[in-house]
Amino acid sequence: MEDINFNKNEDHNKLLVSDLRKRLAKVKLGGGKSRIEKHHAKGKMTARERIDFLFDKNTNTVEIGGFAGDGMYQEHGGCPSGGVVVKIGYVKGKQCIVVANDATVKAGAWFPITGKKNLRAQEIAIENRLPIIYLVDSAGVYLPMQDEIFPDKEHFGRIFRNNAVMSSMGITQIAAVMGSCVAGGAYLPIMSDEALIVDKTGSIFLAGSYLVKAAIGESIDNETLGGATTHCEISGVTDYKSKDDKDALNTIKNIVDKIGDFDKAGYNRISSQPPKEKEEDIYGILPKSRADQYNMHDIIKRLVDNSEFEEYKAGYGKTLITAYARIDGWAVGIIANQRKVVKTKRGEMQFGGVIYSDSADKATRFIANCNQKKIPLVFLQDVTGFMVGSKSEHGGIIKDGAKMVNAVSNSVVPKFTVIIGNSYGAGNYAMCGKAYDPRLIVSWPSAELAVMSGNSAAKVLLQIEKASLEKQGEKITKEQEDALNTKIKSKYDNQVSPYYAAARIWTDAVIDPLDTRTWISMGIEAANHAPIEKPFNLGVLQV
């Protein structure tokens, strides 16, 4: 492994991970150090401090949507992490998902991405029947953008609808009001199973004192209107009165500690074994250029227990690897794009990262097998799309691709997607992109998500732009063409970045490749809370 390319790749990928850590460190500051200090001066913990205190010490956690809002809303001062922190972790040994408003970001106000992130957290709770804990500290909807957060199906109001649905499903919901909780947002804690409020810092009301004065002429202070004493002793709106943040969080721990065991889906797990192959070698195996080849088998060996896997149809449809393995003891079915050029039995060469008819057919069969055996699916994406050209079209690539998409869509076992490299076009769909309901979807810093690569897109867009200008009678010089190409490619390259995708919650996180096993393991553990309720049925297929 000590060749020059390995060393170059290793340096490149370690720099990407270093950049990831720097970006995360910035995000974790929320609204900035000065606002954190002001928050502490009020006797309050930050959103991240609250979550850290709540979770069991020395246990794994994963953060959902850490980069939500990254680079967005700059004209409004930005919205780091979407103004809300969402993590999956353990409270008294029980896996839970926690949603904590970050009041250092615009007083915890809701931007459009805040709503999307909260809905994603609730979706995870619903799909996995996972207890959800809300740590509320929010000024409500960010009014300058109210038209993008208020009225639609995927907007703010959907959260309360989900509160009601989760309650009917028996999913535990606990809410602690640790700061402001105003207007429509006041319904969230009260639609939870149990609600806590912190004395002097927590408040709940449909309208604050200023609005009350303006609306009905009544003069009243916020504490009397909707503080802890009012709601615990007069209105009965809240169930527990806490003296400070830590007291509230300790009460939540005691409540969670009494929750009974859950019905399990029954996914197969034995004792965990680390990979025999050195996991850090991933940095050297993964090429610096997204166009270069590598052997995906080498990546898989560094993700699975004992570096062992049983490959299904190894000699057929070689541009997709399908294999049974274990990750942290959990049985999994892996579907991975092979990124090296392979030769078929007939001596034909197939491009790595491209899905051919035979590989799509193999994947469809494998997905059906995993559903039959109740084995969770793990997709490792590095895909440029389906094969094009007359030979593929005449061979029915659309039909075979549709079969694979059908199988992915109708799969009833939990799916987990890791975008390692390319994720282009219909390949994203077939390999279980966000639209196909993976329980969790993450990308490595090396990932690119787009309809096509930056180079390909730039060429297409450049031809369109040139044709448009020439119709107007303008002639394009070579220098102008190069400048236009650079401009188009620069914009497109920004959009294919894994951080661009994570900012919009097209993925749940950008992660260090060495954290992949933890994400998949915790994801399957969460999925094990939700027994499968319907049979696997592919529907109508054109065979």
Side-chain angles (χ1 to χ4, degrees):
M1 282 288 181
E2 295 303 319
D3 61 58
I4 189 69
N5 283 332
F6 183 93
N7 293 335
K8 286 181 178 178
N9 293 339
E10 185 176 44
D11 290 344
H12 173 73
N13 286 308
K14 284 186 174 180
L15 282 172
L16 290 181
V17 172
S18 176
D19 179 54
L20 166 63
R21 289 176 182 148
K22 287 176 184 174
R23 289 170 179 259
L24 281 172
K26 185 178 179 182
V27 158
K28 288 178 180 179
L29 289 174
K33 290 181 180 179
S34 63
R35 288 182 184 172
I36 290 173
E37 288 169 3
K38 288 178 182 177
H39 200 72
H40 286 160
K42 297 176 184 176
K44 297 165 71 174
M45 303 165 76
T46 66
R48 293 181 181 279
E49 289 167 346
R50 288 165 176 166
I51 293 176
D52 289 344
F53 185 86
L54 184 61
F55 280 155
D56 299 342
K57 303 303 178 191
N58 303 316
T59 56
N60 287 328
T61 66
V62 296
E63 182 171 353
I64 306 296
F67 288 112
D70 185 46
M72 298 167 66
Y73 314 120
Q74 295 306 304
E75 67 277 22
H76 297 278
C79 187
S81 217
V84 63
V85 182
V86 176
K87 285 191 175 185
I88 300 174
Y90 302 89
V91 179
K92 291 291 185 178
K94 291 181 173 62
Q95 196 178 45
C96 302
I97 185 164
V98 180
V99 181
N101 298 114
D102 185 351
T104 71
V105 179
K106 298 286 186 185
W110 288 60
F111 282 69
I113 199 67
T114 317
K116 186 173 183 179
K117 185 169 174 178
N118 275 264
L119 290 171
R120 175 61 180 145
Q122 289 185 322
E123 180 182 44
I124 291 170
I126 290 169
E127 286 182 331
N128 299 290
R129 305 289 176 90
L130 209 58
I132 185 166
I133 299 166
Y134 307 100
L135 306 180
V136 184
D137 195 346
S138 172
V141 167
Y142 183 62
L143 290 177
M145 302 188 75
Q146 65 85 26
D147 62 320
E148 296 181 48
I149 184 62
F150 167 63
D152 211 345
K153 184 178 177 181
E154 281 77 33
H155 284 177
F156 190 76
R158 186 76 172 181
I159 290 162
F160 313 135
R161 175 264 186 195
N162 287 348
N163 288 141
V165 168
M166 283 191 277
S167 182
S168 73
M169 294 173 68
I171 298 170
T172 298
Q173 299 177 83
I174 301 167
V177 179
M178 310 179 86
S180 296
C181 184
V182 300
Y187 288 106
L188 186 147
I190 312 313
M191 294 188 75
S192 299
D193 302 338
E194 296 183 81
L196 305 83
I197 186 168
V198 178
D199 194 22
K200 300 297 186 288
T201 56
S203 58
I204 309 172
F205 33 67
L206 293 180
S209 56
Y210 292 124
L211 186 54
V212 168
K213 177 69 174 175
I216 64 173
E218 181 183 3
S219 296
I220 189 170
D221 64 89
N222 282 339
E223 182 65 25
T224 306
L225 181 66
T229 299
T230 295
H231 286 310
C232 286
E233 299 177 19
I234 300 173
S235 71
V237 164
T238 50
D239 307 309
Y240 305 89
K241 181 179 178 181
S242 304
K243 64 181 181 180
D244 55 26
D245 282 6
K246 288 185 178 179
D247 185 34
L249 296 168
N250 281 325
T251 301
I252 293 173
K253 291 181 186 182
N254 292 332
I255 295 169
V256 173
D257 192 39
K258 311 299 187 299
I259 297 173
D261 203 1
F262 56 90
D263 295 332
K264 295 174 177 64
Y267 302 120
N268 185 298
R269 192 182 197 186
I270 60 175
S271 60
S272 174
Q273 300 294 328
K276 285 182 179 176
E277 301 287 348
K278 188 179 176 184
E279 291 179 66
E280 290 83 358
D281 283 349
I282 288 173
Y283 298 135
I285 294 166
L286 197 64
K288 179 178 178 179
S289 168
R290 293 272 34 86
D292 288 351
Q293 299 176 43
Y294 65 96
N295 191 342
M296 183 63 84
H297 290 101
D298 294 333
I299 298 289
I300 295 172
K301 287 176 184 176
R302 286 154 180 86
L303 295 177
V304 301
D305 291 13
N306 286 321
S307 299
E308 296 174 348
F309 55 90
E310 196 72 34
E311 192 166 355
Y312 171 82
K313 287 185 176 291
Y316 178 72
K318 291 183 179 181
T319 64
L320 272 180
I321 298 167
T322 49
Y324 298 108
R326 289 189 183 274
I327 293 178
D328 196 28
W330 294 103
V332 296
I334 294 173
I335 300 173
N337 301 109
Q338 175 58 288
R339 276 308 312 269
K340 66 175 186 176
V341 174
V342 297
K343 186 183 286 188
T344 68
K345 291 283 186 181
R346 297 174 182 174
E348 299 167 327
M349 304 306 292
Q350 292 186 341
F351 298 106
V354 179
I355 302 175
Y356 289 77
S357 284
D358 53 358
S359 45
D361 174 67
K362 177 171 79 169
T364 302
R365 292 166 180 259
F366 184 70
I367 291 167
N369 278 336
C370 287
N371 275 271
Q372 186 88 347
K373 298 181 178 75
K374 207 157 72 170
I375 300 172
L377 291 164
V378 175
F379 293 82
L380 303 179
Q381 280 198 20
D382 194 345
V383 58
T384 53
F386 285 89
M387 191 58 190
V388 296
S390 61
K391 185 175 181 181
S392 292
E393 297 292 359
H394 296 170
I397 185 67
I398 295 175
K399 179 177 65 177
D400 291 318
K403 286 191 289 187
M404 182 177 174
V405 169
N406 192 312
V408 172
S409 303
N410 287 300
S411 178
V412 294
V413 295
K415 299 166 290 193
F416 302 89
T417 302
V418 182
I419 304 173
I420 289 175
N422 303 325
S423 181
Y424 298 151
N428 170 281
Y429 301 159
M431 291 294 292
C432 198
K434 182 69 183 293
Y436 291 80
D437 299 321
R439 297 293 176 96
L440 294 172
I441 176 169
V442 297
S443 66
W444 290 359
S446 47
E448 291 186 358
L449 288 80
V451 173
M452 61 182 74
S453 71
N455 282 327
S456 298
K459 289 176 184 175
V460 173
L461 292 170
L462 179 62
Q463 293 304 315
I464 294 170
E465 187 71 17
K466 278 177 64 182
S468 175
L469 290 170
E470 286 169 0
K471 276 184 181 179
Q472 297 170 31
E474 295 184 35
K475 289 190 176 180
I476 308 295
T477 66
K478 181 69 169 64
E479 290 75 18
Q480 288 173 319
E481 185 175 323
D482 290 343
L484 196 55
N485 183 65
T486 300
K487 181 182 175 182
I488 292 170
K489 189 175 184 305
S490 175
K491 180 183 177 182
Y492 202 87
D493 284 345
N494 175 59
Q495 292 179 351
V496 304
S497 160
Y499 297 103
Y500 189 93
R504 289 150 183 81
I505 319 184
W506 300 342
T507 60
D508 292 316
V510 183
I511 67 168
D512 184 335
L514 303 188
D515 292 332
T516 304
R517 281 170 54 86
T518 298
W519 272 83
I520 293 172
S521 176
M522 289 187 68
I524 299 175
E525 183 180 349
N528 205 36
H529 287 71
I532 296 171
E533 296 179 343
K534 64 176 183 178
F536 176 62
N537 184 347
L538 280 177
V540 177
L541 287 178
Q542 292 191 30
V543 181

